Amino acid sequence: MIHSIFIINKEGVILIEKHFRGLINRNVCDAFWTEVTKANGNLDEVNPILSLPKFYLVHVRKEELFYVALIAKEFSPLLIVEFLQKVYDVFSTYFEKSVSEDSLRENFVIVYQVNSLSLLLFLISHFSNLKQLLDEMMD
């Protein structure tokens, strides 16, 4: 399953990182960023799945942020992409505006609470009441 999630801005700076299965050095994202820089601005050419010797990096790009998941063995890439999409959906629903570097910083505590895997899975499964659930959780 997912070992870590990274949210990276358009300059390659890691804004948020969450580790679920042990601490992984953030340098693992350097290989991903190398692929982004090779694309020369055409970010649609960046392969959504990057294979490394020990890991796979799966990413989605939303607005100007990259949501990158690190997995250790082959896993359904569509499931990981869907999960990353739902992470973005949760943030955009709660923030009630676009998800940007600034909105992540403004809602840093929320981002880390939502980034708890069990809580995030719960919220995704109850997505229809997401805004109400998050509001109640923060009260």
Side-chain angles (χ1 to χ4, degrees):
M1 191 63 178
I2 297 175
H3 278 256
S4 303
I5 294 177
F6 300 93
I7 301 176
I8 304 173
N9 71 7
K10 63 182 178 180
E11 286 86 30
V13 175
I14 297 172
L15 303 174
I16 304 287
E17 64 183 277
K18 178 69 176 177
H19 304 281
F20 303 109
R21 296 182 171 217
L23 186 62
I24 303 291
N25 192 329
R26 63 182 9 199
N27 291 340
V28 74
C29 292
D30 291 346
F32 168 74
W33 196 250
T34 299
E35 292 298 313
V36 171
T37 54
K38 284 182 188 176
N40 291 327
N42 190 358
L43 299 177
D44 293 330
E45 289 186 11
V46 179
N47 190 351
I49 303 167
L50 179 61
S51 177
L52 302 175
K54 292 185 177 182
F55 301 106
Y56 293 93
L57 293 173
V58 181
H59 87 277
V60 296
R61 180 176 54 94
K62 294 292 180 183
E63 300 179 32
E64 295 189 352
L65 299 174
F66 294 93
Y67 297 77
V68 180
L70 179 88
I71 54 177
K73 55 185 172 182
E74 285 193 40
F75 201 76
S76 172
L78 291 178
L79 181 64
I80 303 299
V81 168
E82 179 69 17
F83 178 79
L84 293 172
Q85 175 64 46
K86 293 294 185 182
V87 170
Y88 169 79
D89 291 343
V90 167
F91 291 157
S92 65
T93 300
Y94 189 75
F95 298 165
E96 296 180 340
K97 58 182 179 179
S98 66
V99 180
S100 66
E101 189 172 342
D102 292 333
S103 64
L104 287 175
R105 285 192 176 127
E106 290 169 11
N107 297 288
F108 189 76
V109 173
I110 301 294
V111 170
Y112 257 86
Q113 288 179 345
V114 169
N115 237 348
S116 165
L117 185 58
S118 58
L119 177 60
L120 188 58
L121 292 174
F122 173 78
L123 293 173
I124 289 169
S125 66
H126 295 85
F127 195 69
S128 60
N129 298 326
L130 176 65
K131 177 71 171 123
Q132 179 184 359
L133 287 170
L134 286 172
D135 286 338
E136 288 176 12
M137 182 181 77
M138 294 311 298
D139 288 337

